[in-house]
Amino acid sequence: MDEKSKPRNVTTPTVGISTPTVGISTPTVGVSQGAIHSPLLANIFLTPLDHLVESIILRENRGKRGGQKDNPVYAKIMKARRTAFIKGLLTPELRLELSRQARLVPTSIPSPRFIRINYVRYAEDFVISVLGPHSLATRILKEVMDFVTSLGLNLNESKTRITSFSKGFKFLGALISSRAHHIKPLKLVTKGPHSGNKVRITPYINIHAPIRELQARLVTRGYAK
């Protein structure tokens, strides 16, 4: 082994941590969370976890997209709306009522033959979405927990749970949920007869960043006043 290829000790910068109870403290173990090499080392260490989830996706994903059956309840509501419109009976009150009923039911019925699993990770935070039965989500959670334990790590129990997309979940400080959780945003129409007007849209996904909460955390840690 020549001189250039010999392993060397690496000195990393130490960053103090500010908390309201202790003040500024300097950790003596681990890597500073804000350092640039922290996510790099996390990616290296958690690569086996990525491989595990990739194998789960290959094992469990099945069916062709579009294989779900239309929900007859939703179809009935939409048919009633179209019929009322054709006959000139679709009053604003009836339109709002039918729209309210339609929002309460899914547009399609999930097929047991169609399963999709997706995985997103940033450093040590990750989300696994499961379009399938609840029992499958429970089984995947146990498999991941056992694997993480074998790496010498533990999942944060307060942040680890199985939830529905309609209830929403927090990821990297943002609340991600389906469209029913927040006020519909405004969008400027640029084409068609309504060009130039602002209309409310119904996005499939809502990403809500709690700005005041993030600002309070910056003040607590001494980064802002």
Side-chain angles (χ1 to χ4, degrees):
M1 180 182 296
D2 60 28
E3 192 67 25
K4 292 183 180 180
S5 61
K6 287 183 179 179
R8 301 174 184 273
N9 293 328
V10 179
T11 302
T12 60
T14 301
V15 181
I17 299 176
S18 177
T19 59
T21 55
V22 180
I24 297 178
S25 60
T26 302
T28 58
V29 178
V31 178
S32 299
Q33 190 171 11
I36 191 172
H37 52 281
S38 178
L40 173 61
L41 295 177
N43 285 339
I44 295 173
F45 191 78
L46 293 177
T47 295
L49 174 63
D50 298 339
H51 293 165
L52 170 72
V53 180
E54 288 172 0
S55 67
I56 293 175
I57 292 174
L58 291 174
R59 183 187 72 205
E60 300 293 348
N61 278 7
R62 65 194 65 179
K64 295 182 178 180
R65 189 169 296 279
Q68 300 100 319
K69 296 181 179 179
D70 293 335
N71 188 343
V73 177
Y74 181 84
K76 184 178 180 180
I77 296 172
M78 291 296 99
K79 182 179 180 181
R81 180 172 176 172
R82 287 193 301 271
T83 302
F85 176 77
I86 293 172
K87 294 182 177 180
L89 302 176
L90 188 62
T91 62
E93 293 79 11
L94 180 59
R95 185 180 70 250
L96 289 174
E97 174 59 24
L98 291 175
S99 298
R100 184 192 67 81
Q101 294 179 17
R103 287 195 297 268
L104 297 177
V105 295
T107 59
S108 60
I109 300 176
S111 170
R113 298 180 180 178
F114 182 82
I115 293 176
R116 283 295 182 272
I117 299 170
N118 291 285
Y119 170 64
V120 177
R121 180 177 65 81
Y122 180 82
E124 76 280 7
D125 295 317
F126 63 92
V127 172
I128 301 176
S129 66
V130 178
L131 179 57
H134 188 274
S135 58
L136 174 61
T138 303
R139 191 166 71 248
I140 292 175
L141 175 59
K142 184 179 185 308
E143 189 172 349
V144 170
M145 290 181 66
D146 292 342
F147 184 81
V148 169
T149 301
S150 70
L151 296 177
L153 302 174
N154 292 311
L155 295 179
N156 189 329
E157 294 184 2
S158 63
K159 296 182 179 180
T160 304
R161 62 193 178 100
I162 297 176
T163 185
S164 63
F165 188 42
S166 60
K167 293 180 180 179
F169 58 92
K170 276 192 172 183
F171 182 58
L172 302 179
L175 176 62
I176 303 174
S177 65
S178 59
R179 61 190 179 191
H181 264 255
H182 303 294
I183 298 174
K184 298 179 181 180
L186 288 171
K187 180 181 179 181
L188 179 65
V189 180
T190 58
K191 296 180 181 180
H194 299 288
S195 178
N197 297 329
K198 289 183 178 180
V199 298
R200 293 202 177 273
I201 60 174
T202 306
Y204 183 67
I205 297 178
N206 278 309
I207 301 178
H208 174 66
I211 302 300
R212 292 185 179 180
E213 180 181 331
L214 296 175
Q215 289 175 339
R217 291 172 63 182
L218 291 174
V219 171
T220 301
R221 297 184 180 184
Y223 296 117
K225 293 183 180 180

